[in-house]
Amino acid sequence: MTGRIAEAAADAGRDAGEITTIVVTKFHPAALVSRLADLGVRDIGENRHQEAQAKAAELAALDLRWHFIGQLQSKKARQVRAYASAIHSVDRGALVDALRSDEASVDCFVQVNLTDDPGRGGVLPEGVPALVEHVLETPGLRLRGLMAVAPLGEPARPAFARVRELSEHVRRLEPTAHDLSMGMSHDFRDAIMEGATHLRIGTAITGNRPDAG
Ligand SMILES: *Cc1c(COP(=O)(O)O)cnc(C)c1O
């Protein structure tokens, strides 16, 4: 996988060192995460709070960064803050308010919904500037940039290009918020071409998930 990412980065004229690969381990046991850590993986992605919390607790002795990438209920927000290094699924004002804290900042990404289906998670593109401003004025959050999942049934690259364009508006509001969390097992190459800085890769690294995921 590292080789394929390096190759895509080279084709995009980018430095592979600026791309973080998050290995998504949802539905897999903590033992698999532990083996990944032995292989040098440090960034782990999970999409369900209870599962993530349990694994983070069990593997607390390991030096891992937990990335929360799933839809997040506001009432679970504080608990996720407690173990997550980054939250990639900030998609509404109520969640931003629930994440407010006077403690150390947690990294976060505003998730953009690239589909017409409001149930998919993410704020619609037109709502991005207002949500970004809300994050920027909320203590305890450090905005890293935008996150997106490519819509099913259409080519990923133009969808990722839309995220890159939206990111230019975000950078006007906060120049340091230039990261892009996009690209999964099947579309990471397109994501790298459009500037992804954080790939979220599951099955291409872990093999099939034990459950439908
Ligand atoms: C599961 C998941 C991934 C990883 O998907 P793969 O196709 O297994 O690489 C990435 N992002 C999110 C939000 C996910 O839920």
Side-chain angles (χ1 to χ4, degrees):
M1 196 65 209
T2 315
R4 292 166 67 199
I5 291 168
E7 192 180 295
D11 291 348
R14 299 183 54 202
D15 174 3
E18 71 187 30
I19 299 170
T20 299
T21 300
I22 299 162
V23 183
V24 178
T25 53
K26 63 191 183 198
F27 297 97
H28 285 287
L32 178 117
V33 180
S34 179
R35 285 205 301 279
L36 289 165
D38 287 343
L39 297 171
V41 171
R42 284 291 163 268
D43 291 277
I44 301 293
E46 289 283 340
N47 71 337
R48 296 186 304 181
H49 164 57
Q50 280 185 325
E51 183 182 341
Q53 186 183 44
K55 288 180 199 170
E58 184 172 342
L59 302 174
L62 303 180
D63 179 25
L64 295 172
R65 288 185 289 270
W66 295 89
H67 296 256
F68 193 83
I69 64 172
Q71 286 187 23
L72 178 52
Q73 292 175 276
S74 299
K75 65 180 181 191
K76 300 284 165 60
R78 298 201 78 77
Q79 292 180 57
V80 171
R81 264 194 79 97
Y83 59 81
S85 298
I87 299 172
H88 292 239
S89 43
V90 173
D91 62 357
R92 61 198 189 279
L95 178 58
V96 175
D97 291 336
L99 287 165
R100 166 188 290 266
S101 170
D102 295 327
E103 290 157 32
S105 290
V106 65
D107 282 356
C108 65
F109 294 78
V110 164
Q111 182 179 355
V112 187
N113 182 355
L114 297 172
T115 76
D116 299 326
D117 174 1
R120 295 292 296 181
V123 60
L124 292 172
E126 54 268 32
V128 166
L131 189 58
V132 161
E133 295 210 40
H134 193 160
V135 171
L136 293 174
E137 66 202 18
T138 301
L141 294 177
R142 173 172 174 248
L143 185 67
R144 296 290 303 253
L146 298 178
M147 179 275 214
V149 176
L152 291 171
E154 53 180 276
R157 185 151 178 192
F160 291 145
R162 287 164 63 202
V163 182
R164 184 170 49 74
E165 284 160 24
L166 277 168
S167 163
E168 285 161 21
H169 297 286
V170 175
R171 272 142 71 159
R172 247 172 263 144
L173 296 170
E174 175 50 62
T176 63
H178 46 59
D179 286 342
L180 293 175
S181 169
M182 56 189 198
M184 305 173 26
S185 293
H186 296 290
D187 55 24
F188 70 89
R189 193 182 158 82
D190 286 331
I192 288 171
M193 291 297 165
E194 296 300 337
T197 60
H198 291 70
L199 309 174
R200 306 179 312 270
I201 313 275
T203 51
I205 292 175
T206 65
N208 286 336
R209 285 182 273 275
D211 264 7

